[in-house]
Amino acid sequence: MAIQNSTTTNGTAATNGVNGASTNGVKAGPAPLDASKLVMTLAEKLKPLPEPESLVFGQTQTDHMLIVNYDPVKGWGAPEIKPYAPLVLDPMSSCFQYCPNVFEGMKAYVGPDGEPRLFRAERNMARLARSAERVALPPFDTSALLTLLKEFVHTEKRWIPSLQGYSLYLRPTIIGTRPALGVSASDSACLYVVASPAGPYFKGGSRAISLLAVNENVRAWPGGTGGHKLGLNYAPGFKPQKDAADRGYDQILWLIGDRVTEAGAMNAFVVVRRDDGDLDVHTPNLDGTILPGVTRSSVLSLLNAHTSSSLLLPTLPKTLKIHTHEHPITMPELKAWSDQGKLLEVFGVGTAVIVAGVGRIGYSGWGEELVLPENEGGLGPVGKGLFDMLTEIQAGRVEFEGWCVPVV
Amino acid sequence: MAIQNSTTTNGTAATNGVNGASTNGVKAGPAPLDASKLVMTLAEKLKPLPEPESLVFGQTQTDHMLIVNYDPVKGWGAPEIKPYAPLVLDPMSSCFQYCPNVFEGMKAYVGPDGEPRLFRAERNMARLARSAERVALPPFDTSALLTLLKEFVHTEKRWIPSLQGYSLYLRPTIIGTRPALGVSASDSACLYVVASPAGPYFKGGSRAISLLAVNENVRAWPGGTGGHKLGLNYAPGFKPQKDAADRGYDQILWLIGDRVTEAGAMNAFVVVRRDDGDLDVHTPNLDGTILPGVTRSSVLSLLNAHTSSSLLLPTLPKTLKIHTHEHPITMPELKAWSDQGKLLEVFGVGTAVIVAGVGRIGYSGWGEELVLPENEGGLGPVGKGLFDMLTEIQAGRVEFEGWCVPVV
């Protein structure tokens, strides 16, 4: 990839792209996202790196950002990696007024070879494109964005702590920038990526979290947007989350009626002992109310890999069979499994937390809290096995199906 | 109200406010919104006023904006009326990432006395406060904001076209500005008001609009946020709206199952002839999925006023009795009323459009479109009577219950 300084290539490049525009300058549509147009403007002075132990999730900005604007006529402009800077936007912009804003959460890791790595990044690119389409933001070439993202990771490589459990959290974002108040799709947009170095999600060692199951507020709904990663899915949870915290719970277990959807901003998993000694692992199916999480998908793959012996989870007996189920889970089922002594583990998974064990669940439909079996560090054998294996793969110490490869 | 130039009052004013903070400087909480701290910085050069006929809704910015920031420690700062300018925000800001953004739509009118007027503005202030609370934005003193808003209207008075059917559209907005990626409530915020001169919603005369009834995408649901005026309620409608436009419909009739909720961004009304010659007017009840519209409330009041003869709608017989009903309306009911020849009018109401008549409704559940009786200008006698009376009250030519009073 060619990197230029302060100038962009012009002309035909914009008409050879994904939009299938003609090459003779006639009827050329909006230009596609083109990584070869990247302009690099590096910071004159780099920030001092913070002590890794002092990091709080998502509160540290790195030196640079990746940014590219979409104009309704010209299409995607020249992408730029430039010093981290505020956005300057008309107060009428669609992003403030009607919230056509989408994002991704990803992490870059440093492998034993010292090279930065990305974990299943093509899945985040594809999901971002689906999210953008859902709120009528302009389409973009996902492979071009991945190329740009890799360049950005190389630029910010010094920000990836080389300590175990640390990474550089990446936040690709697209916001609608149409500066007008009419209620309609934003025909202009700003795509940017910012980064923040991140340590283990739980300070002072992993612990089990508590969940308050809630159905008077509903996160997502059939025909709604819960299956897409939209910014607008999150603000409605702020007040319920505060209320849950006031009642002594870490996160909300979101329900529709008595059906489990997500845990906080994580996908939910439930481990149940079978009468034949095998394990059932249940997670809600992707019915449009559930975010199709990259960690969720990876967890299902790793559980199946253990059962097929293609990759063994270190905390579990080699011969243990785990049966994964993507289907609805209800609160009465959870209670019955618990009453029968079969409910072994509940955990949430996501890019930020990886795997978080659940210790107790409060629910107005129950007389008392559901208490899960206690485990050191908050994670049972299945959750701990997944956490350890995912972090080994992410750190480049275990290779599995090309999930985490050096950024080249 | 004292207006200062470039300086703010300081000290005890901030501790005498709605938060009930002590006055001796000990344990003072965040400062409340305080209109007496207003700083005025007027534009050195005013923009030329556009030709009223050239106005497109929400695309013209006036000379100034009202803006005030909330800091988690200091509370609300000094409000400022200043030249219209872009917002400058960290790319990690909550408004882009998680969308805790709320707004209001209001209009200022010029009365026969040349004085600017606001229509039921205290209702917008109260709704904005409820919206802010729903997404955990900081609270504010609604009467202080109304005082500031009136000052802003006076500042921008020259932008209110004195032509019939014209007004100055006002857009109070509050956005979350916490510059961090952790998924939690925004503890900082920016409240601002921008304005845009507006002409009649329909260019070239009023006409009936077409609606496509949709339930595969759902605007709002029980336990969701449809009953609050949040920016995030709107972006999910952009793609369905585009799809509806591609199929030749102006707006979407949003359903939950077969139940009517809203029409585009308007509250929906249905007029049905009764066997006794009276009229039934139905609108969905405020069950949390329906925006409690100011125009909706005003329409119900005006219909009841006609029946009680306290204010007669000019297009209707004086003795006509209209029975208003706030309750669920289903698609089969609409079809049955239509088949029986009783369905006289369907219309949407809102601040921007006032009253918009519906000419036809498409629905996958029906073999053919439902076609409403035709009326000149698209509005039947009830819709036209409401439109005319609302615009008379808003223009200050008819006084009714103090709804539209000069801004003093």
Side-chain angles (χ1 to χ4, degrees), chain A residues 75-260:
Chain A
W76 291 105
E80 193 177 3
I81 290 175
K82 66 170 195 179
Y84 192 93
L87 303 179
V88 179
L89 290 161
D90 192 290
M92 291 187 182
S93 296
S94 195
C95 55
F96 304 127
Q97 300 295 333
Y98 307 122
C99 304
N101 306 331
V102 303
F103 71 90
E104 279 296 319
M106 309 169 68
K107 282 179 177 170
Y109 309 85
V110 163
D113 52 5
E115 287 303 306
R117 290 161 180 261
L118 285 171
F119 181 75
R120 309 189 80 181
E122 69 291 346
R123 293 202 158 221
N124 296 97
M125 296 298 96
R127 189 170 64 183
L128 187 65
R130 284 197 307 273
S131 298
E133 186 191 18
R134 181 64 185 83
V135 290
L137 286 170
F140 63 93
D141 180 337
T142 54
S143 64
L145 182 56
L146 186 52
T147 300
L148 291 164
L149 187 70
K150 288 176 176 174
E151 193 62 35
F152 179 60
V153 169
H154 271 295
T155 307
E156 299 303 72
K157 182 182 158 186
R158 74 185 191 98
W159 284 91
I160 313 177
S162 52
L163 293 171
Q164 184 161 358
Y166 285 74
S167 60
L168 183 63
Y169 184 84
L170 300 166
R171 178 56 67 98
T173 307
I174 314 176
I175 61 174
T177 54
R178 178 172 179 259
L181 296 177
V183 180
S184 64
S186 183
D187 55 6
S188 54
C190 176
L191 187 165
Y192 60 91
V193 184
V194 292
S196 184
Y201 200 82
F202 294 106
K203 296 271 159 198
S206 186
R207 63 174 180 83
I209 64 168
S210 55
L211 299 178
L212 178 64
V214 161
N215 59 13
E216 61 274 21
N217 286 291
V218 177
R219 191 195 84 92
W221 189 264
T225 58
H228 295 82
K229 200 153 184 76
L230 310 185
L232 60 85
N233 289 332
Y234 294 85
F238 286 170
K239 183 165 189 296
Q241 169 64 32
K242 271 188 160 180
D243 295 344
D246 288 345
R247 294 176 58 185
Y249 292 91
D250 292 307
Q251 295 284 340
I252 286 176
L253 183 61
W254 296 104
L255 308 180
I256 298 178
D258 68 358
R259 188 160 59 79
V260 170

Side-chain angles (χ1 to χ4, degrees), chain A residues 35-105:
Chain A
S36 74
K37 292 186 189 172
L38 177 66
V39 177
M40 292 280 278
T41 309
L42 298 180
E44 292 189 5
K45 188 165 179 239
L46 300 180
K47 299 174 186 174
L49 292 177
E51 289 298 319
E53 297 72 18
S54 71
L55 293 171
V56 177
F57 178 79
Q59 295 201 357
T60 304
Q61 290 97 2
T62 64
D63 295 301
H64 300 94
M65 65 192 296
L66 168 67
I67 188 164
V68 50
N69 287 296
Y70 183 90
D71 173 276
V73 175
K74 297 178 189 166
W76 291 105
E80 193 177 3
I81 290 175
K82 66 170 195 179
Y84 192 93
L87 303 179
V88 179
L89 290 161
D90 192 290
M92 291 187 182
S93 296
S94 195
C95 55
F96 304 127
Q97 300 295 333
Y98 307 122
C99 304
N101 306 331
V102 303
F103 71 90
E104 279 296 319

Side-chain angles (χ1 to χ4, degrees), chain A residues 58 84 87-91 96-98 101 133-134 171 173 180-181 184 192 217-218 221 223 231 235-236 238-239, chain B residues 58 84 87-91 96-98 101 133-134 171 173 180-181 184 192 216-218 221 223 231 235-236 238-239:
Chain A
Y84 192 93
L87 303 179
V88 179
L89 290 161
D90 192 290
F96 304 127
Q97 300 295 333
Y98 307 122
N101 306 331
E133 186 191 18
R134 181 64 185 83
R171 178 56 67 98
T173 307
L181 296 177
S184 64
Y192 60 91
N217 286 291
V218 177
W221 189 264
F238 286 170
K239 183 165 189 296
Chain B
Y84 192 93
L87 304 178
V88 179
L89 291 162
D90 191 292
F96 305 126
Q97 300 295 333
Y98 307 122
N101 307 331
E133 186 190 17
R134 181 64 185 84
R171 178 57 66 99
T173 306
L181 295 178
S184 64
Y192 61 91
E216 62 273 21
N217 287 292
V218 177
W221 54 83
F238 286 170
K239 183 165 188 297

